[in-house]
Amino acid sequence: MNDITSMPALMLASKIKNKELSVTEVLDQQLKVIHEREPLYNSYITIMDDEAQKQAKLVQQRIDAGELNDSPLAGVPIAIKDNICTKSVRTTCASKMLENFVPNYDATVIEKLKNSGVIVIGKVNLDEFAMGGSTKTSYFGPSKNPWNTDHVPGGSSGGSASVVAAEQAFISLGSDTGGSIRQPASYCGLVGFKPTYGTVSRYGLVALAPSLDQIGPFGRTISDCTAVLDIISGHDPKDSSSVNIKNYSYMEALVNDVKKMKIGVPNLFLNKDLDEDILNCFTEVVEIFENMGAEVEYFDMDKLKYGPQAYYVISCAEASSSLARFDGVRYGYRTNDYDGLTDLYKKSRSEAFGDEVKRRIMLGAFTQGPGNYEAYYNKAMKVRRLIYDEYQEAFDKYDILLSPESLTTAPHINYNNNDPKDKYRSEMLNVSVNLAGLPGVSIPCGRDKKGLPIGIQLIGNRFDEKKIIRAAYAFEQVKPYKRPSTLI
Amino acid sequence: MKDYEIVIGLEVHVELSTSSKIFCGCSTKFSLDPNSNCCPVCTGMPGTLPVLNKKATEYAVAAGLALNCNIRKRTIFDRKNYFYPDLPKAYQISQLYFPIAENGHIKIELEGYEKVIGIHEMHLEEDAGKLIHDSDNNNTLIDYNRAGIPLIEIVSKPDMTSSDEVLAYLDKLKTSLQYLSVADCKMQEGGMRVDINLSVREVGDKKLGTRTEIKNLNSFRAIARAIESESNRQIELVKKGEAVDLETRRWDDISGENIRMRPKENVEDYRYFPDPDIPPIEFSDQEIDRIKSSLPEFREEKIIRFQKDYAIPKYDAKVLTSSKKMADIFENTANLCNRPKEVSNWLMVEGMRIIKDNNMDLWEVDFNPKKFSKLILMVEEGKINRTIAKEVFEKIFLEDIDPDEYVKKQGLAMISDDRELGKAALKILDKNPGAVSDYKNGKTKVLGYLVGQTMKDMGGRADPNQISKILKGLLEEI
Amino acid sequence: MKFTKENFTYIADIVKLDFTKDEEEKVRKELNRMLHFIDSMNELDTDNIEPLTHINSLKNVFREDEEVEYRLSGQVTKNGIENKDDYYVVSKTNMFGG
């Protein structure tokens, strides 16, 4: 075990600040571990060795000059999901379509991280264009779960999860449209945070579904995630959907006190498909919260049942539109041999997009096409309103909501479930949170009989991150982070 | 013999004259360097997002008010999805479901009648890039400088029945928008582009025939010719009992060809849906009132006021207000020299002549009111005569010279000294003994000839009446 | 509603995707399974419910009409697939006839 790379990020940052460690020293160790473990996990699409070294030198200078005293994570290496644009560094979205695409602009979150002295160390794997839950649709092959490399790390931010679990990065950024941060976090035993829609700028995030997408952090502790959230959140004039609400630091919410906190558990999520181990773990979690003084109550939320249906219509329709710009004209993949414009479009797109992407594009266009707009797209938007309202009613009664994060632990890499009813049942736990634009965090709470991590989900009301941070922090004191036993 | 009538509706796209594009800060100035006014947003790079230009919205509201529309309290942007190389995101941000303005009208005046043309709606949208044919090797070149320039699209009701009505509508539309200074509507530069929707039916028939669409006409001449060609084509088909197809056609003004391009798209093919990246716009009553009160005077109001304030006839007021520039020049000059009738005469006669001779745009005329006013006073004070004044006027107009300096430099000042005039007159009398004896013999008409000769000798810098008097006097003494 | 052979071809055409005959069969089946699942949302009564089009209650988000220069130098040549001077190029697509 590498003493340096196994530390939590905040601890590392304070050691750097105290001059116990130098930025370059840390970076060297981190790169060493990355290169050692990459053959096992296949999580990095691009490792920014040289780039990161340059950044490290600059950051050390700034630290020495006293410029980064207020930054909580100066000098800490972070990995970035490869659908977030990084200037002069390849941004592929794990697709052949953008295999060699190099943006000449940074996403706003990257600018903020750089300003705070965080070192961007590499771009990590995802499902192609963030469509999927396992990284199996990645053009660069699937990543492996550090807890058991026969199992997937989850998705779509699978690479972001596996690198933090495997200590190939201290923290990482992912994106969450329908659970894509929370699910892999639970599969890999990490904390994964999806902020309230509008909290973090989407400028530079390659859009999947613009009304659902949010960027969020992965970390080994809730404190690490919160520190990242502090840095990346805030109004961005380049993103019209970003909101200006911050007048406090999220770190203030790291308080070990949930006395009298009213916690609601939707009965819907404890259905018969829940893994027995997960149910047992969840029951224990409820007891822990009750012992800490919180009031846990089970209640009914039945409209959430239709979340996945509405989610698929809306996300596929928006994705179909958002991915249309990849047409082989201005950048990205262009087919070699074509005859005329239509041929150029069809061949380029068909050759460069994977199957899942094509399916969702087709479905999305269908639901908005002739005769279907009312019955599908508009209907889904109405269902969305009902789900939103149902959550608002719940938050009139409860401070936060609690549920398992997933119905199963990380599936085996060869597991293929094509029955929509099953496939989307797990997503029911996650997608409605995006539909309502709420903040949600997944925190590790134990392991199943196979030794695979189990996660639970805390959901807060819009812009009420503080409550879920507080609950997660209190819980973590009882169940602290456990590193994968499989790691050397 | 059946009689047929034509039914025409127009969709007019107008570029708004904001400094920056509708969704990003790139300049809207025309540039010959391709892709020089571009950024990741207007070229549709991955991860980029639109942010709405406030002024574009205000201009759109102003335009809607000028066209007598109802401004929607809540308006949203929708994505219009289709593939074409000039469309960087493969969707255009436009408005379908809740456009910014609706239910307006334009009143047009033609020979002997007035008519109200209804406006169905007006909405904001972004322009696309430009495609250029590379003749070297049959390639298509793309320049996105124009992509993202704000447009308003004005959709009329199918209320027009002839190309005269169409041109009158367009002229009125153009003037109204220019008056607001929200658009310059220069058709040759693509600042205003017209799509025609045309169908035919028997006179008296209430049902509309199948229409065709002719896109992107950018001169009044092309519009008139296209209307003639297409209406003839459709009438021929209908006479033969054949069907008119719902299609989009192209008019080639150089060859005079009217060609079928493609079948008309269905609005559902575009899969319009509300753009999640742009929050709705909501106007309060106060906001609309504020924009209303900040609007400059409309042309109709100016025509009435000019008649009242400056005691000029309606016809004159109309000519003088044919562009806001012209109206401002008139008003500013009249206020400086207090001679509205004079100012009006100069502009309507000499001014219009110069504009026509030099093929200028009424919108572009620039005439310094101070210098113009000085000129008028110089004539009144007798410093120069009208003939010279015309020359000076043209010089001010075209070269912005100062009248005082010019007259001095060119030696054009009137000579009114009797002795000098007398010397010149004597000279002419000496040169023309025949005319003198004719006069003495009672042929008094020959005086005119002598005056003319004297004027010529003086280079026109004298008052002919004064010369006439002096000649008469001298002739008496002979 | 379902994906029939006709509307499948139509949709594939408007989203500019090509499928082989085998692919088409497979994808159509999968998509119809999805649609069948999605149809179950009709169990929820949504009469008189307003669609939720914008999740935030934001409105009137603007920027001032100011020119902001962006140095895009090299963007066309770097990421543009084909280029001529500073134009993007699509070759072999004479779109102007003749």
Side-chain angles (χ1 to χ4, degrees):
Chain A
M1 169 167 128
N2 183 310
D3 284 337
I4 293 179
T5 59
S6 55
M7 254 189 266
L10 282 168
M11 184 186 292
L12 175 73
S14 84
K15 286 194 195 277
I16 290 175
K17 205 183 220 149
N18 296 336
K19 314 277 194 209
E20 286 172 55
L21 291 168
S22 78
V23 178
T24 310
E25 182 181 357
V26 170
L27 181 66
D28 286 341
Q29 287 302 309
Q30 184 67 89
L31 285 169
K32 181 158 155 281
V33 168
I34 289 175
H35 287 288
E36 269 169 14
R37 297 182 188 176
E38 252 312 275
L40 289 170
Y41 306 123
N42 192 41
S43 303
Y44 274 93
I45 294 177
T46 303
I47 304 170
M48 294 158 55
D49 296 83
D50 293 335
E51 218 334 280
Q53 300 280 9
K54 282 197 210 117
Q55 285 180 60
K57 286 203 186 75
L58 275 169
V59 169
Q60 187 67 66
Q61 280 171 14
R62 289 175 67 198
I63 291 176
D64 294 340
E67 277 173 37
L68 292 170
N69 287 334
D70 289 336
S71 166
L73 293 170
V76 177
I78 190 170
I80 306 290
K81 186 175 184 181
D82 208 14
N83 63 351
I84 297 173
C85 288
T86 41
K87 186 174 179 169
S88 307
V89 177
R90 187 169 76 135
T91 300
T92 69
C93 298
S95 176
K96 183 174 178 178
M97 178 57 87
L98 293 179
E99 190 179 0
N100 297 308
F101 174 69
V102 180
N104 68 358
Y105 48 95
D106 268 329
T108 299
V109 293
I110 302 296
E111 280 179 6
K112 287 182 182 245
L113 287 170
K114 282 185 182 168
N115 284 340
S116 293
V118 183
I119 315 269
V120 178
I121 198 170
K123 310 299 292 296
V124 292
N125 206 14
L126 59 151
D127 283 287
E128 186 181 4
F129 282 110
M131 296 184 185
S134 64
T135 67
K136 277 155 74 173
T137 65
S138 165
Y139 180 62
F140 300 100
S143 298
K144 312 289 173 54
N145 190 322
W147 289 80
N148 183 333
T149 52
D150 287 335
H151 289 248
V152 298
S156 62
S157 314
S160 309
S162 61
V163 293
V164 174
E167 292 165 1
Q168 291 177 300
F170 288 84
I171 40 180
S172 69
L173 286 189
S175 69
D176 191 316
T177 304
S180 293
I181 288 177
R182 293 160 282 152
Q183 181 251 54
S186 80
Y187 285 179
C188 293
L190 297 170
V191 180
F193 203 111
K194 179 199 100 63
T196 306
Y197 182 84
T199 303
V200 177
S201 168
R202 290 183 297 114
Y203 186 87
L205 169 66
V206 181
L208 169 60
S211 76
L212 301 167
D213 297 336
Q214 269 295 268
I215 295 176
F218 284 86
R220 294 172 210 139
T221 65
I222 183 68
S223 309
D224 284 354
C225 278
T226 306
V228 179
L229 191 64
D230 254 1
I231 294 172
I232 62 174
S233 60
H235 178 252
D236 181 12
K238 300 211 286 248
D239 175 359
S240 302
S241 63
S242 80
V243 170
N244 197 356
I245 34 80
K246 254 188 66 133
N247 51 11
Y248 59 81
S249 160
Y250 291 110
M251 305 281 281
E252 290 168 13
L254 293 166
V255 168
N256 181 9
D257 179 11
V258 292
K259 283 194 279 293
K260 296 278 192 339
M261 191 181 258
K262 291 208 181 65
I263 302 180
V265 178
N267 281 319
L268 189 66
F269 296 157
L270 302 173
N271 63 54
K272 57 179 168 52
D273 297 308
L274 192 58
D275 228 33
E276 197 191 326
D277 289 343
I278 297 183
L279 181 58
N280 291 338
C281 191
F282 186 75
T283 313
E284 198 195 334
V285 168
V286 170
E287 265 178 49
I288 291 174
F289 273 113
E290 283 174 333
N291 291 340
M292 291 196 289
E295 295 163 20
V296 182
E297 192 178 282
Y298 294 78
F299 74 110
D300 285 320
M301 282 185 91
D302 46 9
K303 302 202 180 66
L304 298 192
K305 191 167 108 191
Y306 301 99
Q309 293 90 322
Y311 169 77
Y312 269 95
V313 172
I314 294 172
S315 68
C316 289
E318 290 183 9
S320 189
S321 174
S322 299
L323 265 60
R325 66 188 67 195
F326 303 112
D327 57 9
V329 173
R330 287 163 296 285
Y331 50 81
Y333 178 85
R334 182 189 286 187
T335 185
N336 282 326
D337 189 25
Y338 60 91
D339 184 18
L341 193 64
T342 306
D343 212 31
L344 167 72
Y345 285 146
K346 287 189 172 175
K347 287 215 173 97
S348 302
R349 288 164 65 80
S350 304
E351 287 165 20
F353 283 145
D355 289 341
E356 183 65 22
V357 172
K358 287 190 214 174
R359 268 200 289 272
R360 296 201 193 189
I361 290 176
M362 291 288 287
L363 184 69
F366 180 86
T367 58
Q368 290 179 320
N372 289 329
Y373 187 87
E374 254 324 300
Y376 284 102
Y377 190 73
N378 228 17
K379 175 87 184 178
M381 305 247 271
K382 293 180 182 180
V383 171
R384 183 173 187 178
R385 163 96 46 203
L386 288 175
I387 289 175
Y388 179 89
D389 289 343
E390 193 173 55
Y391 269 115
Q392 289 309 307
E393 269 176 47
F395 285 114
D396 281 339
K397 292 193 295 211
Y398 305 108
D399 292 306
I400 66 172
L401 305 182
L402 176 68
S403 80
E405 166 40 47
S406 176
L407 297 179
T408 67
T409 54
H412 192 277
I413 201 159
N414 294 327
Y415 176 73
N416 265 320
N417 177 7
N418 284 319
D419 184 349
K421 277 214 316 270
D422 284 338
K423 201 169 170 188
Y424 308 122
R425 239 192 270 275
S426 219
E427 291 177 340
M428 183 175 56
L429 272 60
N430 290 312
V431 301
S432 60
V433 175
N434 301 79
L435 288 170
L438 307 172
V441 65
S442 173
I443 54 179
C445 63
R447 265 158 304 292
D448 71 0
K449 288 195 207 61
K450 297 187 291 243
L452 290 167
I454 298 172
I456 51 159
Q457 177 178 228
L458 304 172
I459 305 168
N461 200 356
R462 281 173 58 71
F463 303 111
D464 209 4
E465 271 78 349
K466 285 205 282 193
K467 290 212 182 99
I468 53 177
I469 291 173
R470 185 151 57 95
Y473 185 74
F475 182 82
E476 197 179 65
Q477 307 311 306
V478 177
K479 288 259 180 178
Y481 175 74
K482 286 218 160 44
R483 77 194 279 273
S485 44
T486 47
L487 283 184
I488 340 135
Chain B
M1 258 287 274
K2 292 184 194 155
D3 247 344
Y4 291 92
E5 64 180 6
I6 313 171
V7 177
I8 303 173
L10 297 182
E11 285 165 18
V12 182
H13 293 87
V14 174
E15 283 183 359
L16 295 178
S17 48
T18 52
S19 309
S20 60
K21 293 186 178 180
I22 188 174
F23 293 120
C24 67
C26 290
S27 168
T28 53
K29 283 205 263 295
F30 180 78
S31 168
L32 284 172
D33 297 326
N35 294 302
S36 58
N37 286 335
C38 292
C39 73
V41 177
C42 57
T43 49
M45 292 281 141
T48 55
L49 295 169
V51 186
L52 182 59
N53 181 329
K54 186 169 196 190
K55 196 161 244 160
T57 314
E58 290 173 346
Y59 280 7
V61 172
L65 290 170
L67 300 175
N68 305 295
C69 292
N70 173 45
I71 306 293
R72 275 195 162 274
K73 282 277 166 58
R74 184 174 191 267
T75 182
I76 62 172
F77 284 92
D78 303 306
R79 293 190 184 182
K80 178 182 185 184
N81 301 279
Y82 66 97
F83 286 85
Y84 208 59
D86 64 1
L87 200 60
K89 299 185 290 295
Y91 61 84
Q92 179 196 32
I93 300 178
S94 174
Q95 301 187 290
L96 178 76
Y97 297 110
F98 300 103
I100 201 168
E102 304 175 305
N103 294 328
H105 62 265
I106 285 183
K107 199 155 64 158
I108 54 174
E109 283 170 26
L110 293 127
E111 306 278 338
Y113 71 102
E114 282 184 352
K115 188 168 175 179
V116 172
I117 308 294
I119 289 174
H120 177 56
E121 54 101 349
M122 186 203 79
H123 64 262
L124 258 175
E125 60 184 27
E126 55 179 351
D127 208 346
K130 264 213 189 101
L131 300 180
I132 298 157
H133 182 211
D134 185 2
S135 46
D136 283 346
N137 44 23
N138 253 1
N139 290 341
T140 302
L141 304 176
I142 316 172
D143 174 13
Y144 291 111
N145 281 343
R146 199 182 68 176
I149 289 190
L151 294 177
I152 41 172
E153 179 176 340
I154 301 126
V155 181
S156 82
K157 297 201 176 140
D159 289 345
M160 288 161 273
T161 60
S162 68
S163 55
D164 283 342
E165 288 185 359
V166 165
L167 295 184
Y169 170 88
L170 289 171
D171 195 66
K172 192 88 185 277
L173 177 62
K174 208 169 161 222
T175 312
S176 305
L177 294 176
Q178 286 172 340
Y179 254 82
L180 295 176
S181 302
V182 303
D184 56 33
C185 297
K186 289 192 187 152
M187 287 186 87
Q188 350 53 299
E189 286 175 20
M192 183 162 113
R193 307 186 301 253
V194 180
D195 294 346
I196 300 174
N197 287 297
L198 189 151
S199 65
V200 300
R201 64 182 174 192
E202 283 177 44
V203 175
D205 201 346
K206 283 285 190 277
K207 230 179 73 175
L208 286 170
T210 308
R211 64 185 169 94
T212 59
E213 179 188 38
I214 305 179
K215 288 187 84 65
N216 275 329
L217 297 153
N218 59 5
S219 76
F220 277 17
R221 183 187 118 105
I223 290 168
R225 295 176 74 210
I227 289 174
E228 185 180 351
S229 164
E230 180 58 13
S231 55
N232 286 340
R233 187 190 74 88
Q234 287 195 20
I235 289 174
E236 279 311 304
L237 282 175
V238 171
K239 273 194 188 152
K240 282 193 260 179
E242 285 172 38
V244 172
D245 288 329
L246 183 68
E247 61 193 8
T248 300
R249 301 182 70 90
R250 189 165 63 87
W251 170 255
D252 186 329
D253 201 43
I254 300 172
S255 65
E257 274 180 84
N258 175 350
I259 312 157
R260 178 194 146 92
M261 247 175 92
R262 58 172 191 257
K264 179 103 181 73
E265 315 83 20
N266 203 326
V267 72
E268 288 180 310
D269 292 342
Y270 294 116
R271 292 161 289 134
Y272 280 92
F273 71 96
D275 192 332
D277 290 329
I278 306 173
I281 315 294
E282 284 178 18
F283 297 111
S284 62
D285 287 329
Q286 293 98 297
E287 185 61 26
I288 297 193
D289 284 339
R290 182 189 71 80
I291 296 178
K292 219 184 221 166
S293 59
S294 74
L295 293 179
E297 200 177 21
F298 292 156
R299 186 185 180 195
E300 292 68 32
E301 298 163 344
K302 239 191 243 294
I303 290 175
I304 296 172
R305 185 169 66 78
F306 276 10
Q307 289 172 70
K308 203 170 81 187
D309 289 355
Y310 301 104
I312 54 173
K314 184 172 185 183
Y315 177 79
D316 293 20
K318 275 199 173 153
V319 176
L320 292 171
T321 57
S322 40
S323 83
K324 183 162 183 291
K325 269 276 168 71
M326 187 80 132
D328 286 346
I329 293 169
F330 166 75
E331 188 151 24
N332 291 337
T333 314
N335 286 342
L336 277 172
C337 68
N338 250 317
R339 306 278 184 277
K341 212 69 232 4
E342 274 297 304
V343 181
S344 165
N345 277 338
W346 275 104
L347 282 173
M348 285 177 58
V349 180
E350 284 304 301
M352 289 309 237
R353 179 188 67 76
I354 297 170
I355 288 168
K356 200 155 170 214
D357 287 349
N358 290 280
N359 254 323
M360 294 171 88
D361 198 316
L362 279 172
W363 183 242
E364 283 176 333
V365 298
D366 212 347
F367 201 86
N368 188 317
K370 278 212 199 97
K371 295 177 181 169
F372 188 7
S373 161
K374 219 194 279 187
L375 177 68
I376 289 176
L377 294 172
M378 277 165 77
V379 172
E380 196 176 275
E381 289 160 19
K383 287 210 184 105
I384 52 172
N385 67 21
R386 289 205 89 86
T387 320
I388 302 286
K390 279 190 194 160
E391 179 189 326
V392 180
F393 179 85
E394 182 152 359
K395 282 282 180 201
I396 300 177
F397 201 117
L398 294 174
E399 293 169 37
D400 198 31
I401 50 107
D402 179 273
D404 264 331
E405 286 169 24
Y406 183 80
V407 163
K408 245 187 226 128
K409 205 163 125 211
Q410 303 287 326
L412 298 174
M414 289 260 270
I415 300 175
S416 44
D417 180 40
D418 280 335
R419 281 213 327 254
E420 278 225 49
L421 290 178
K423 265 202 236 150
L426 266 175
K427 210 165 64 180
I428 296 300
L429 289 177
D430 276 339
K431 277 200 185 143
N432 293 282
V436 174
S437 60
D438 279 344
Y439 185 83
K440 293 311 259 184
N441 288 329
K443 292 203 181 124
T444 49
K445 276 207 189 118
V446 83
L447 180 65
Y449 168 75
L450 290 168
V451 170
Q453 289 296 300
T454 315
M455 281 290 281
K456 209 158 126 199
D457 185 64
M458 302 244 43
R461 291 164 298 146
D463 178 6
N465 291 325
Q466 204 181 353
I467 292 178
S468 179
K469 261 203 210 101
I470 290 171
L471 278 171
K472 263 205 201 138
L474 289 171
L475 284 164
E476 294 299 312
E477 289 170 19
I478 294 177
Chain C
M1 275 287 267
K2 270 170 56 115
F3 266 106
T4 61
K5 282 211 171 87
E6 286 82 36
N7 61 25
F8 187 93
T9 311
Y10 165 78
I11 297 280
D13 190 56
I14 57 174
V15 297
K16 306 295 176 228
L17 288 175
D18 262 338
F19 293 93
T20 64
K21 268 231 155 49
D22 292 333
E23 281 172 342
E24 184 191 313
E25 269 313 299
K26 186 163 157 267
V27 174
R28 205 156 58 82
K29 235 195 226 139
E30 281 163 359
L31 290 178
N32 280 331
R33 251 205 301 227
M34 265 302 266
L35 285 172
H36 181 69
F37 168 67
I38 288 172
D39 281 339
S40 60
M41 84 177 158
N42 288 317
E43 292 165 18
L44 203 48
D45 179 13
T46 54
D47 283 344
N48 301 318
I49 303 291
E50 273 297 301
L52 186 60
T53 55
H54 292 89
I55 188 87
N56 279 327
S57 49
L58 288 173
K59 53 182 178 157
N60 299 342
V61 179
F62 295 118
R63 37 168 275 277
E64 292 302 317
D65 182 32
E66 283 162 1
E67 274 180 47
V68 176
E69 200 183 342
Y70 182 89
R71 302 215 161 272
L72 202 74
S73 55
Q75 182 64 41
V76 178
T77 43
K78 207 167 178 196
N79 268 313
I81 301 148
E82 270 181 88
N83 57 79
K84 177 178 180 171
D85 302 324
D86 275 317
Y87 285 103
Y88 290 91
V89 177
V90 186
S91 54
K92 299 182 273 181
T93 57
N94 185 345
M95 307 176 60
F96 298 88

